[in-house]
Amino acid sequence: MKILMTNNDINRSIKRIAYEIVEKNHGVEDLVVVGVKNGGVSLAKMLANHLSSMEDTIVPVTFADITPFRDDKKKTDKIEQLDIDINDKLVVIVDDVLFTGRTTRAALECIFSFGRPKKIQLAILVDRGHRQIPIRADYVGKNIPTSIKENVNVVINGENSFVEIN
């Protein structure tokens, strides 16, 4: 295993992504952060906290269980509702790793099942390539070229957070 990002690198990347979001959207008005369970939950909270403190407002954050929308896993009938209205909002989907694009496709389907956002953007901590679906992130913490056989693991655990490859 090789450490690719330390806790400081992760925090710096999330902070930079927050600045890019504010700059690209001229603020955070009508912005909702949606973390993809499970990998994007902690990152979404971190991002929303940075955005809130930068813009001196509360940026709402919620979480999406995309399991019922996956095309590569067994379907479930249980769909968890989002606890924030996303209609006519700028939705920023947050996840840890962008790989084939299938998780993001499921997240988009999930979002649209709960309403019609004004715009959707994607923020990813690690983009490792190997798309199977034409999806790209609007905001990327770090691009890490990998082989298809390698695994990228993101561990968010307070001061002991890291990204590793094996």
Side-chain angles (χ1 to χ4, degrees), residues 66-132:
I66 63 161
T67 307
F69 303 95
R70 301 279 312 218
D71 65 355
D72 57 348
K73 306 244 176 175
K74 185 178 176 187
K75 297 274 187 198
T76 64
D77 293 332
K78 181 183 172 230
I79 296 177
E80 284 184 33
Q81 297 291 318
L82 297 179
D83 57 1
I84 296 174
D85 180 20
I86 60 165
N87 287 301
D88 295 319
K89 306 282 192 207
L90 165 59
V91 172
V92 177
I93 298 172
V94 179
D95 204 2
D96 55 355
V97 178
L98 180 55
F99 182 30
T100 62
R102 293 188 178 280
T103 300
T104 302
R105 187 218 45 88
L108 289 166
E109 191 174 327
C110 177
I111 296 294
F112 284 121
S113 75
F114 296 119
R116 189 176 191 285
K118 177 174 40 180
K119 183 191 259 187
I120 298 176
Q121 296 175 341
L122 178 61
I124 297 293
L125 181 62
V126 175
D127 185 342
R128 60 171 292 193
H130 304 287
R131 284 318 165 269
Q132 295 174 353

Side-chain angles (χ1 to χ4, degrees), residues 138-158:
D138 297 281
Y139 312 101
V140 177
K142 186 171 182 107
N143 287 293
I144 300 174
T146 63
S147 82
I148 197 83
K149 294 179 182 181
E150 289 177 306
N151 291 315
V152 175
N153 302 311
V154 177
V155 177
I156 304 297
N157 187 17

